Amino acid sequence: MREDDRACSLILLGIALAACLGAFQYEVGTFNNPGPGLFPLVLGAVLGVLSLMILAGGVMAKRAAVQGAQATGGRSIYSKEALYVVLALIGFGFLLVPLGFIVTTFAVFAAMLRFVTGQKWAVVVIGALVLALGAYVVFDMLLGVPLPRGVLGI
Amino acid sequence: METLNLVVYGFQVALAAHNVFACFVGVLLGTLVGVLPGLGPVATISILLPITLSMEPVTAIIMLAGIYYGAQYGGSITSILLNVPGEATTVVTCIEGHKMALAGRAGPALGISAIGSFIGGTLCLVGIMFLAAPLAKFALRFGPPEYSALIFLAITLITGLAVGSPVKGLAMAVLGMMAGTIGMDVATGEPRFTFGIHPLFDGLGLVPVIMGLFGIGEILTNVEQKGGTEVIKTKFSNVWPTMQDWVASRMAILRGTVVGFLLGLIPGGGALIATFASYSLEKKISRHPERFGHGAIEGLAGPETANNSGSQASFVPMLSLGLPSNVVTAILIGALIIHGVEPGPLMMTTNPDIFWGVLVSMYLGNVMLLILNLPLIAVWVQILRIPYKFLLPLIMLFCLVGVYSTNFSIFDVFVMIFFGIIGYLMNKFQYEPAPFIMGLVLCPIFENAFRQSLSLSDGSFWIFFSRPISAVLVIGGILILAGYMLPSFRRKVKVVQENACD
């Protein structure tokens, strides 16, 4: 895992620098009259130092690993399943208001059941339908959460 | 005695019908979700957070606390029956508990966990009663410098427990604080880091961030773990421990209570260290240490008790000082803020109903857990058998609707998804989401206290050292930071973690 530390620490360092630069957009003030930019600036500086420490640790571990001749091989950061779940969630977010809760839930979870858990089409259709209608009854009708109805009005 | 009156008051609050109901629903839901494979107490409480938001603050916290220890008990069930610890605190439960289950004694193992937790919780409440009055007096002496120092100390303590390295933990806490600066500046009203996105003017919502990091993040991590788990097939005709079990574990329960209580009070300590400490203590003083690792009931009873009394004691710094000592109490502080209760040293005086009501309700909740679970264990075992692929869509939909229902904002849904991805990556690269949440929750309080302190002192940092309480706290924090750099500390943490994984 250690080789990832370099990439992660560089991302953190980038965030830290961005925060410091961003902090100067607001009034930093002085220590006896702190402005809105002071606290973000201090945090950015601390994060910068910490990310450099993680980077140093990663570089040293990398050297040790090279000497130990450990092959890590190429591996993917994320799995296909996790990617599909994220896509399903994002799809839900975009479709919810325009299409309404029932249609969106049916569509998104039918896709999920089919492509993530690999169910048969019959199970997919019935499962997604039960989920969409069941959730609508529980949340909208029983718990009184007003869910979007979308263009179709359902 | 004044404290006694307050305890009576606490009982009045906790015994109000709607609060009893909230506690019951919380315990039941917590156990139900906590039993589900792959969902630990933190994920459980995050996912169920939205349902409490429309309640009164006291009722909401009572319910969330109920969800918490219900989920913990659910975690004990999965540990004993599946050898799958829902979170770090039940790692020790696996060691002896699962061995007992393999030997056909799952019933007594589950029984003693519930009974031990109940006894620990009861004694803990007595301890808190004696502690409350001096603590409230002490809290009144806290000004902005003391409070900044306290938060500094808490963050250093918490990051030390982070799996991986303390530096990474600290980086996450700072990153969380930076996320907390997004939105309107408290003092000047100037929007910061909003990038012109309107919903960000009020800051990142705590609910979507928490649900993302711990709910969605957990789902994404779980979805790629293939392969089912084997549930032990056994009868649960008898969950009552035998006389022999009871004799073996009664002293372990008492010791577990004390260990849990003392360690739980320390911010950043909490239930996690308590379970490990109790286990090694029992092993050390046992006359038959060779039985440990082969289903010794005292090695289960002690840590389970310590876990419960530790988590109960960790509510004391949270409710009296407004200081979260672990993720769960950080989430609860977040819930209090959402409800408009200002967490801080004055909370015990200004909101005695929350302090005493919640603590007493935890005691009642333990009674409910005991009554509820002994007959229901067979039902929980059935739930354990539900395959994850059926649960996945249900949990996802629950998160989506839950986060949407809090504000009816699609923006919040996307915040949750974004932090879900972040949480997944954090799990992957061994960064802890817990310090991030602590940083996010504590940021506004910390920044405010920090700025007020500097205004008080005319810009001199000496103010943190010239006042005795804050000096002790700051120096303590600095020493802890220095301690992380020592190689011996790193080795010790590694040893503990490796032992836990055996």
Side-chain angles (χ1 to χ4, degrees), chain B residues 162-199:
Chain B
V163 182
S165 74
V167 181
K168 283 184 176 182
L170 215 53
M172 285 303 106
V174 176
L175 194 65
M177 286 211 165
M178 285 164 71
T181 59
I182 293 175
M184 216 116 75
D185 173 33
V186 195
T188 60
E190 188 176 340
R192 294 185 293 186
F193 301 107
T194 53
F195 309 105
I197 302 168
H198 216 271

Side-chain angles (χ1 to χ4, degrees), chain B residues 48-62:
Chain B
L48 296 177
L49 189 57
I51 57 176
T52 62
L53 292 181
S54 57
M55 302 171 178
E56 299 254 304
V58 189
T59 314
I61 301 296
I62 284 177

Side-chain angles (χ1 to χ4, degrees), chain A residues 1 4-5 8 19 26 31-32 36 39 43 47 77-79 81-82 89 97 109 112 117 131 135 145 148, chain B residues 168 174 178 185 190-193 224 226 393-394 396-397 404-405 417 424 428-429 431 446-447 454 458-459:
Chain A
M1 267 301 171
D4 299 325
D5 281 353
C8 293
Y26 315 107
F31 280 124
N32 53 11
F39 199 64
L43 290 176
L47 185 66
I77 296 176
Y78 54 86
S79 70
E81 286 87 353
L89 291 168
V97 171
F109 284 90
M112 271 271 309
T117 58
L131 203 59
V145 178
Chain B
K168 283 184 176 182
V174 176
M178 285 164 71
D185 173 33
E190 188 176 340
R192 294 185 293 186
F193 301 107
E224 46 189 53
K226 298 255 168 66
L394 283 177
M396 274 173 67
L397 190 58
Y404 176 77
S405 71
I417 299 169
Y424 167 75
K428 203 115 220 189
F429 297 121
Y431 286 81
F446 187 50
E447 183 178 8
L454 286 181
D458 237 0

Side-chain angles (χ1 to χ4, degrees), chain B residues 150-496:
Chain B
L150 187 68
I151 294 175
F152 171 65
L153 176 70
I155 285 176
T156 58
L157 278 166
I158 287 145
T159 51
L161 294 171
V163 182
S165 74
V167 181
K168 283 184 176 182
L170 215 53
M172 285 303 106
V174 176
L175 194 65
M177 286 211 165
M178 285 164 71
T181 59
I182 293 175
M184 216 116 75
D185 173 33
V186 195
T188 60
E190 188 176 340
R192 294 185 293 186
F193 301 107
T194 53
F195 309 105
I197 302 168
H198 216 271
L200 277 181
F201 279 42
D202 292 331
L204 280 171
L206 287 173
V207 178
V209 176
I210 289 169
M211 290 184 75
L213 279 180
F214 297 106
I216 302 292
E218 199 90 353
I219 292 173
L220 292 174
T221 308
N222 282 332
V223 75
E224 46 189 53
Q225 279 155 6
K226 298 255 168 66
T229 32
E230 232 5 65
V231 183
I232 288 182
K233 290 202 176 84
T234 176
K235 274 186 221 143
F236 295 97
S237 49
N238 189 13
V239 291
W240 288 104
T242 62
M243 203 54 206
Q244 201 190 345
D245 290 338
W246 178 242
V247 171
S249 45
R250 62 181 179 192
M251 289 315 285
I253 288 175
L254 288 182
R255 284 189 291 263
T257 307
V258 177
V259 168
F261 182 69
L262 294 178
L263 290 174
L265 289 174
I266 305 170
L272 178 62
I273 311 182
T275 54
F276 285 106
S278 165
Y279 186 73
S280 40
L281 179 69
E282 290 311 317
K283 202 169 169 178
K284 216 161 261 172
I285 59 174
S286 169
R287 284 199 208 103
H288 307 283
E290 72 281 356
R291 286 178 56 233
F292 278 73
H294 302 282
I297 194 163
E298 62 269 35
L300 171 69
E304 278 289 284
T305 310
N307 186 5
N308 196 54
S309 74
S311 42
Q312 189 156 344
S314 73
F315 274 62
V316 173
M318 173 208 138
L319 293 170
S320 57
L321 299 173
L323 189 75
S325 49
N326 50 37
V327 206
V328 171
T329 43
I331 295 174
L332 291 176
I333 290 276
L336 282 174
I337 294 172
I338 295 166
H339 281 113
V341 178
E342 176 94 358
L346 289 175
M347 215 166 74
M348 215 164 141
T349 336
T350 52
N351 294 73
D353 55 333
I354 294 183
F355 185 87
W356 291 105
V358 171
L359 284 173
V360 171
S361 89
M362 293 181 78
Y363 171 67
L364 296 177
N366 277 313
V367 182
M368 288 183 200
L369 211 55
L370 194 65
I371 299 170
L372 194 70
N373 279 315
L374 294 180
L376 278 182
I377 279 170
V379 177
W380 303 137
V381 174
Q382 290 307 316
I383 290 170
L384 266 177
R385 298 213 165 95
I386 301 174
Y388 193 70
K389 59 180 177 186
F390 294 129
L391 290 174
L392 175 69
L394 283 177
I395 301 168
M396 274 173 67
L397 190 58
F398 197 86
C399 287
L400 287 166
V401 177
V403 79
Y404 176 77
S405 71
T406 55
N407 264 334
F408 304 104
S409 142
I410 287 291
F411 183 76
D412 279 356
V413 175
F414 283 110
V415 171
M416 178 183 79
I417 299 169
F418 177 75
F419 278 94
I421 299 169
I422 299 284
Y424 167 75
L425 293 175
M426 282 184 181
N427 284 341
K428 203 115 220 189
F429 297 121
Q430 295 171 341
Y431 286 81
E432 291 265 309
F436 183 91
I437 283 295
M438 310 262 317
L440 179 66
V441 169
L442 288 174
C443 176
I445 311 170
F446 187 50
E447 183 178 8
N448 224 2
F450 185 72
R451 273 157 80 165
Q452 280 174 358
S453 313
L454 286 181
S455 301
L456 277 176
S457 73
D458 237 0
S460 161
F461 279 87
W462 184 243
I463 192 169
F464 298 111
F465 296 97
S466 59
R467 299 165 64 131
I469 297 176
S470 107
V472 169
L473 297 171
V474 172
I475 292 169
I478 293 172
L479 286 178
I480 289 164
L481 283 180
Y484 293 155
M485 306 302 152
L486 295 176
S488 65
F489 172 83
R490 291 191 185 172
R491 232 178 292 134
K492 251 180 213 153
V493 169
K494 218 172 176 186
V495 168
V496 170

